[in-house]
């Protein structure tokens, strides 16, 4: 079928559904396998339902289904990627097709980083009005069938829910059935997908008129009450936020205040002033919905995208609570799922651009301290994949070292950890610096390293022991403990902990002698792994029932 495969190249592609007939006729299909997400939603802390204000990102770019529709990747130069997953809670893929099924590469990348993904169900203009009358103005059977199909689609393709956007006027009969439809869809999603979500966009009112409120009001709260959240329109002022906070009561974090990064209409902020909107939203304890952050790519150009993207998200970091990893193993080569070449073991394997978000690895925090520290993506050199993490900074005069926080962690420490690190020092004097990993633990009176006789570490900082060679039985997994290649240095470490809870994983850069001047350094990180020794020793499960179909040799 044409919708599963690109008519020009025959490659498998992600697709949308148009109109009510296509939605109701949808059935799981043997050609669907490519479109089913292969990555389960990773656990993270705090979980989505905690009462902390959240951040939703709504991705809307040039109608959607661009190069991201190619499920097995494409040779795209300067593609759009998103990688600040630690800073957000929900990702919505938006387009103007009736049923926007998120391209599977986005679901894979988001899930690997613990972020749920929503598709979009939208009706608009006169066509939308007809569609709504067809399924809402009749009996319960019609709208229940639509709710059930939407839940089945999310469950089948393994994404996490829907943004519902009804942008057309409704008859009295249709609008009367809208709250029960939303309640039914929400209940279906909750039972079909663990953590399933339905969010309503602020558009029509309970009398059927299409009038954006830019806030929660008595006119639209009936829809908010029927689902998991409200995404407000963008033309709000501070008094809208005050009224919304009052009306939402204990559900105030389920209000996602819309922020259009393109700053269309009468809005506060937008562009590099988006922080102004976020500051106000957070002052009122509300969640935020950042709409079209692809502005950085579309408006400022593809060439300097990574530099501008870093600047944009760094400007918002103060208002974006971050998330912690809460399961091991943690292993990443920092790849963005794109590159100007492909690397393996530090060597360029295949020159030429590529883009495949499914191949994006777990992304770290991206700490920035004006003039003192900067973290960014480096496409010119990598250990594995398409990019490495470049850490640039200075060690202040007279200081010995600086710690750069890469990941926030929140989990009990297993009794024994193995850690591995691959790095490359750049700059004029790389031999003046040493690089290592540091783990911090939450301060608890019981936590200590090694055997019972050792004292608790002051301020919970642990420096794992260097392993010159891998322990027997782990030679394969920790193969290159003291052997790098192609200019990369490889290190393995071990750490024994008792009754501790892990807090942060940091990169430690130290100078061999403290200097009276500040010491600038540049370090590329190619790979970091934190492994629970107990589960590493067990052999991985074998692949079973492997099959191949629809082969075409070329």
């Amino acid at each position: 079928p044409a919708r599963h495969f690109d008519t020009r190249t025959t490659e498998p592609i992600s697709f949308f559904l148009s109109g009510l007939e296509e939605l109701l006729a949808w059935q799981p299909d043997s050609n669907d396998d490519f479109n089913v997400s292969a990555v389960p939603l990773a656990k993270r802390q705090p979980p989505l339902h905690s009462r902390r204000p959240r951040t939703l990102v709504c991705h809307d770019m040039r109608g959607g289904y661009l190069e991201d529709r190619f499920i097995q990747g494409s040779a795209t130069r300067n593609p759009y990627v998103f990688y600040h997953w630690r800073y957000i809670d929900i990702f919505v893929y938006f387009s103007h097709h009736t049923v926007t099924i998120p391209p599977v590469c986005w679901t894979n990348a988001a899930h690997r980083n613990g972020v749920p993904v929503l598709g979009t169900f939208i009706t608009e203009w006169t066509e939308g009005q007809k569609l709504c009358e067809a399924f809402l103005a009749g009996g319960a059977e019609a709208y229940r069938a639509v709710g059930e199909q939407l839940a089945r689609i999310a469950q089948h393709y393994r994404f996490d829910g829907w943004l519902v956007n009804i942008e057309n006027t409704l008859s009295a009969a249709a609008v009367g059935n809208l709250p029960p439809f939303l309640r039914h869809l929400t209940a279906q999603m909750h039972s079909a997908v663990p953590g399933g979500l339905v969010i309503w966009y602020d558009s029509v009112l309970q009398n059927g008129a299409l009038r954006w409120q830019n806030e929660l009001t008595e006119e639209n709260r009936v829809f908010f009450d029927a689902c998991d959240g409200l995404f407000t329109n963008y033309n709000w002022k501070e008094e809208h936020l005050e009224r919304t906070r009052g009306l939402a009561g204990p559900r105030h974090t389920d209000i996602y205040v819309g922020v259009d990064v393109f700053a269309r209409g009468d809005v506060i902020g937008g562009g590099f002033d988006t922080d102004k909107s976020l500051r106000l939203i957070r002052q009122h304890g509300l969640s935020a919905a950042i709409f079209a952050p692809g502005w950085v790519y579309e408006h400022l150009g593809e060439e300097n995208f990574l530099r501008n993207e870093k600047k944009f998200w760094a400007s918002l970091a103060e208002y974006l609570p971050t998330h912690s990893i809460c399961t091991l193993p943690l292993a990443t080569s920092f790849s963005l799922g794109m590159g100007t070449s492909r690397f393996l073991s530090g060597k360029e394997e295949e020159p030429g651009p590529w883009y495949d978000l499914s191949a994006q690895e777990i992304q770290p925090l991206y700490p920035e301290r004006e003039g003192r520290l900067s973290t960014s993506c480096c496409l010119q050199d990598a250990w594995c994949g398409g990019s490495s993490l470049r850490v640039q900074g200075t060690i202040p005069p007279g200081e010995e070292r600086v710690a750069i926080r890469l990941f926030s962690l929140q989990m009990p420490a297993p009794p024994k950890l193995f850690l591995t690190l691959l790095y490359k020092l750049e700059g004029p004097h790389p031999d003046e610096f040493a690089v290592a990993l540091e783990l911090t633990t939450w301060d608890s009176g019981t936590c200590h390293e090694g055997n019972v006789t050792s004292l608790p570490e002051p301020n919970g900082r642990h420096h794992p022991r260097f392993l010159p060679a891998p322990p027997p039985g782990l030679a394969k997994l920790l193969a290159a403990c003291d052997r790098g290649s192609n200019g990369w240095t490889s290190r393995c470490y071990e750490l024994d902990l008792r009754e501790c809870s892990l807090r942060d994983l940091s990169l430690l850069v130290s100078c061999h002698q403290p200097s009276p001047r500040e010491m600038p350094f540049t370090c590329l990180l190619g790979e970091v792994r934190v492994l629970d020794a107990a589960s590493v020793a067990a052999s991985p499960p074998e692949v079973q029932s492997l099959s191949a179909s629809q082969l075409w040799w070329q």
Side-chain angles (χ1 to χ4, degrees):
R3 79 170 175 224
H4 289 89
F5 299 97
D6 187 64
T7 46
R8 206 168 42 83
T9 65
T10 76
E11 291 172 302
I13 51 171
S14 295
F15 57 84
F16 50 85
L17 302 175
S18 299
L20 198 55
E21 280 173 32
E22 278 197 14
L23 168 60
L24 293 172
W26 176 87
Q27 287 289 348
D29 180 304
S30 62
N31 289 308
D32 271 342
D33 293 351
F34 291 110
N35 271 295
V36 175
S37 170
V39 182
L41 179 60
K43 289 189 167 65
R44 65 197 324 214
Q45 286 291 343
L48 191 64
H49 51 75
S50 74
R51 301 316 297 161
R52 185 172 90 163
R54 306 178 198 112
T55 307
L56 176 152
V57 159
C58 189
H59 173 64
D60 173 23
M61 187 174 281
R62 300 173 187 161
Y65 300 95
L66 307 173
E67 289 77 12
D68 53 6
R69 75 184 185 279
F70 290 104
I71 293 168
Q72 295 173 328
S74 64
T76 306
R77 198 175 293 280
N78 300 325
Y80 176 74
V81 290
F82 178 82
Y83 51 93
H84 285 83
W85 300 110
R86 297 272 138 247
Y87 300 83
I88 75 164
D89 297 83
I90 300 167
F91 182 86
V92 178
Y93 193 87
F94 183 90
S95 84
H96 289 274
H97 302 289
T98 314
V99 178
T100 298
I101 299 169
V104 65
C105 63
W106 282 105
T107 307
N108 287 339
H111 278 187
R112 189 169 286 125
N113 286 281
V115 174
V117 175
L118 310 188
T120 306
F121 176 58
I122 188 171
T123 67
E124 46 193 347
W125 314 106
T126 25
E127 278 307 300
Q129 202 169 342
K130 285 184 205 156
L131 190 151
C132 287
E133 293 305 312
F135 87 94
L136 283 172
E141 202 176 317
Y143 71 70
R144 289 174 79 90
V146 168
E148 277 148 31
Q149 278 295 75
L150 290 171
R152 282 177 71 208
I153 288 169
Q155 181 182 42
H156 179 69
Y157 296 117
R158 299 189 187 160
F159 60 97
D160 307 284
W162 296 99
L163 172 68
V164 178
N165 189 353
I166 307 289
E167 298 216 51
N168 44 256
T169 51
L170 295 174
S171 67
V175 81
N177 275 331
L178 192 48
F181 162 68
L182 280 175
R183 275 194 294 276
H184 181 65
L185 171 60
T186 305
Q188 289 290 311
M189 274 311 309
H190 289 180
S191 72
V193 175
L197 282 174
V198 175
I199 292 176
W200 169 257
Y201 183 72
D202 153 33
S203 48
V204 294
L205 307 181
Q206 62 185 8
N207 64 2
L210 176 61
R211 254 209 332 274
W212 297 271
Q213 299 293 286
N214 307 299
E215 62 179 317
L216 178 67
T217 66
E218 291 297 352
E219 311 272 83
N220 65 14
R221 86 174 284 167
V222 60
F223 309 119
F224 173 60
D225 291 340
C227 68
D228 296 308
L230 169 75
F231 180 148
T232 77
N233 193 44
Y234 313 103
N235 302 311
W236 47 268
K237 296 285 177 275
E238 192 164 6
E239 58 265 28
H240 294 90
L241 303 182
E242 284 165 12
R243 291 195 293 262
T244 295
R245 172 71 203 242
L247 198 55
R251 282 191 69 199
H252 57 93
T253 54
D254 293 337
I255 303 282
Y256 300 86
V257 180
V259 177
D260 180 2
V261 181
F262 277 85
R264 290 163 282 211
D266 179 15
V267 300
I268 293 170
F272 283 122
D273 289 331
T274 299
D275 58 316
K276 292 178 180 159
S277 325
L278 283 182
R279 183 183 307 124
L280 284 174
I281 292 167
R282 297 308 194 209
Q283 276 169 9
H284 292 87
L286 302 168
S287 293
I290 301 173
F291 183 74
W295 169 84
V296 175
Y297 181 85
E298 292 186 66
H299 181 70
L300 301 175
E302 303 169 6
E303 294 297 320
N304 293 320
F305 167 61
L306 288 175
R307 190 184 312 136
N308 288 323
E309 182 77 342
K310 179 177 112 133
K311 179 181 166 187
F312 177 77
W313 288 96
S315 74
L316 305 182
E318 186 186 341
Y319 306 107
L320 304 176
T322 58
H323 294 81
S324 307
I325 286 176
C326 59
T327 53
L328 292 179
L330 163 58
T332 181
S333 68
F334 306 103
S335 182
L336 294 180
M338 63 160 283
T340 49
S341 8
R342 285 178 190 270
F343 294 85
L344 189 62
S345 300
K347 184 162 146 276
E348 187 181 67
E349 285 276 291
E350 201 183 329
W354 65 278
Y355 174 51
D356 180 1
L357 282 171
S358 290
Q360 188 184 84
E361 302 241 344
I362 292 174
Q363 293 299 306
L365 297 164
Y366 281 88
E368 292 289 319
R369 287 202 290 279
E370 199 62 46
R372 302 260 314 277
L373 173 69
S374 164
T375 42
S376 57
C377 310
C378 171
L379 299 177
Q380 294 73 41
D381 198 356
W383 174 253
C384 178
S387 54
S388 56
L389 186 71
R390 180 186 278 120
V391 180
Q392 287 172 294
T394 55
I395 298 177
E399 303 264 315
E400 276 178 43
R401 60 175 72 148
V402 56
I404 300 101
R405 190 164 162 250
L406 300 175
F407 290 99
S408 163
L409 309 170
Q410 199 171 330
M411 61 186 125
K416 188 183 208 46
L417 287 165
F418 289 123
L419 298 91
T420 68
L421 169 67
L422 273 147
Y423 68 90
K424 184 184 271 195
L425 280 163
E426 293 191 321
H429 308 292
D431 46 357
E432 293 184 353
F433 299 98
V435 176
L437 291 172
E438 174 180 271
L439 266 176
T440 56
T441 51
W442 294 95
D443 182 38
S444 86
T446 60
C447 170
H448 55 262
E449 262 182 58
N451 53 31
V452 186
T453 57
S454 59
L455 293 169
E457 189 71 25
N459 65 25
R461 291 177 184 278
H462 306 274
H463 301 120
R465 284 188 303 284
F466 173 60
L467 277 176
L474 294 180
K476 208 166 172 185
L477 188 74
L478 306 179
C481 273
D482 204 14
R483 288 201 317 277
S485 57
N486 300 304
W488 292 85
T489 303
S490 176
R491 292 275 183 262
C492 296
Y493 307 91
E494 64 178 348
L495 181 61
D496 299 307
L497 292 172
R498 295 281 174 274
E499 296 179 47
C500 300
S501 183
L502 300 179
R503 181 177 186 167
D504 285 317
L505 176 68
S506 298
L507 183 74
L508 208 57
V509 180
S510 45
C511 42
H512 296 305
Q513 279 113 13
S515 161
R517 57 191 172 83
E518 58 177 37
M519 302 275 284
F521 63 86
T522 301
C523 180
L524 298 184
L525 288 190
E527 187 186 71
V528 169
R529 297 186 295 175
V530 182
L531 311 169
D532 174 355
S535 58
V536 164
S539 54
E542 294 197 356
V543 173
Q544 289 175 338
S545 59
L546 185 67
S547 68
S549 61
Q550 300 190 25
L551 299 180
W552 178 39
W553 296 101
Q554 192 179 16

